[in-house]
Amino acid sequence: MMEKFRFGKKLQEAVLRRKEGQQPAIIIDGKEMKVRNPVFVGNRVRDVPCLVEEDNKAGNTGYTVVAVSFDNLNRQEKAWVCIQPVLLEQAIGSFMENHQMEGITGDCRCANRLTDTRDTGFDFETGNVCIEIKVFMPVTVGTGSCTWKSFHEAVKQITRHCNNPAVKEKGKRILLLTVCQDGTGQMQPMEDGSIKDELKKAVGMGVEFWIAETKTEEDGISLLRYWDYTDKIL
């Protein structure tokens, strides 16, 4: 049984309302409340289901949006997309610590960026592998190129890490872990030649490419599955 990465407290379902020329607002029990963080859900004016946590700062009550859904407002079982990359990174770290991703880490425990990994630039490091995490946020139709641009940058970044003398000295496996969220669809086929060239370079340097699929709910984030797709990346 996979252990869930749990939030500090259960999130509350609400409606994110966008109005022409105005800042988005949260609607809870018919009341309009402030949104504490920027949320991008496309350019159309519409109501979007969301999960929020209450955020009391300087005596002003507001809400932080943690996840959104592209499902209909009236649907009971919605697929939630976490829009807080830090939470997803923390969840991956928790899964590793709890030996739920031993296909990647073996039986080693991980260290975060703030301790052992500052000299290498990676998000996580275990006794045998350096891991860079890439969280893809969903994009609306017509802006898919943004996704590939960001993936391209992630691949270029990890090749730079590979050339870091501190990384070479460690002699560890190098891994780019892409986090895909349940309900957002699979990664699109490669079409950009420059991306393929960068990928060939990374694979030639020994970089491994893995995917982790997660599911966000009101009480936390679950790991559904993870797999190595290095042989299929090209």
Side-chain angles (χ1 to χ4, degrees):
M1 181 82 178
M2 291 286 192
E3 184 173 338
K4 181 180 288 188
F5 171 77
R6 297 193 179 277
F7 302 132
K9 58 182 178 180
K10 191 173 182 179
L11 304 178
Q12 185 174 355
E13 184 169 345
V15 175
L16 177 67
R17 177 161 294 170
R18 292 176 56 88
K19 297 180 180 180
E20 191 72 39
Q22 298 183 26
Q23 293 294 322
I26 294 296
I27 309 299
I28 297 180
D29 298 327
K31 297 180 180 179
E32 188 171 298
M33 311 296 290
K34 295 179 181 179
V35 180
R36 290 290 185 191
N37 58 319
V39 182
F40 178 76
V41 289
N43 294 318
R44 291 186 300 164
V45 176
R46 58 174 176 167
D47 288 352
V48 177
C50 63
L51 293 177
V52 301
E53 63 178 355
E54 192 170 357
D55 182 9
N56 295 319
K57 292 183 178 179
N60 297 319
T61 300
Y63 287 84
T64 296
V65 179
V66 176
V68 298
S69 176
F70 297 102
D71 292 332
N72 188 284
L73 286 169
N74 298 320
R75 182 171 178 175
Q76 292 298 314
E77 298 294 329
K78 298 180 180 68
W80 298 106
V81 179
C82 179
I83 61 170
Q84 302 281 350
V86 171
L87 282 178
L88 290 165
E89 288 191 12
Q90 291 174 350
I92 293 296
S94 176
F95 301 146
M96 292 180 183
E97 291 281 359
N98 289 288
H99 303 283
Q100 296 180 43
M101 303 184 76
E102 291 189 350
I104 290 176
T105 65
D107 59 359
C108 299
R109 290 188 175 272
C110 63
N112 63 33
R113 188 199 303 266
L114 298 178
T115 55
D116 301 308
T117 61
R118 280 182 290 183
D119 60 339
T120 64
F122 288 94
D123 292 311
F124 292 99
E125 182 179 347
T126 74
N128 62 358
V129 59
C130 294
I131 303 168
E132 179 73 15
I133 296 177
K134 181 62 186 174
V135 177
F136 284 119
M137 292 292 103
V139 292
T140 54
V141 175
T143 59
S145 60
C146 295
T147 296
W148 281 120
K149 179 179 180 181
S150 111
F151 183 72
H152 190 181
E153 291 303 314
V155 176
K156 288 169 64 176
Q157 181 181 34
I158 203 166
T159 56
R160 289 195 295 269
H161 289 342
C162 289
N163 289 320
N164 185 330
V167 174
K168 292 181 177 180
E169 184 178 345
K170 290 176 182 290
K172 297 182 179 182
R173 293 162 53 212
I174 307 297
L175 190 145
L176 178 59
L177 177 64
T178 300
V179 180
C180 292
Q181 300 189 63
D182 182 46
T184 61
Q186 296 298 317
M187 297 175 66
Q188 304 171 19
M190 297 287 178
E191 294 182 359
D192 190 317
S194 62
I195 295 178
K196 287 185 177 180
D197 290 342
E198 204 68 44
L199 285 168
K200 289 178 181 178
K201 179 181 178 181
V203 171
M205 298 174 79
V207 176
E208 300 174 31
F209 292 85
W210 290 65
I211 294 177
E213 186 176 4
T214 62
K215 181 177 182 179
T216 299
E217 296 174 290
E218 290 90 340
D219 60 344
I221 300 172
S222 301
L223 176 66
L224 299 180
R225 59 183 180 136
Y226 67 100
W227 67 97
D228 181 358
Y229 74 115
T230 308
D231 292 340
K232 299 179 181 178
I233 191 68
L234 299 177

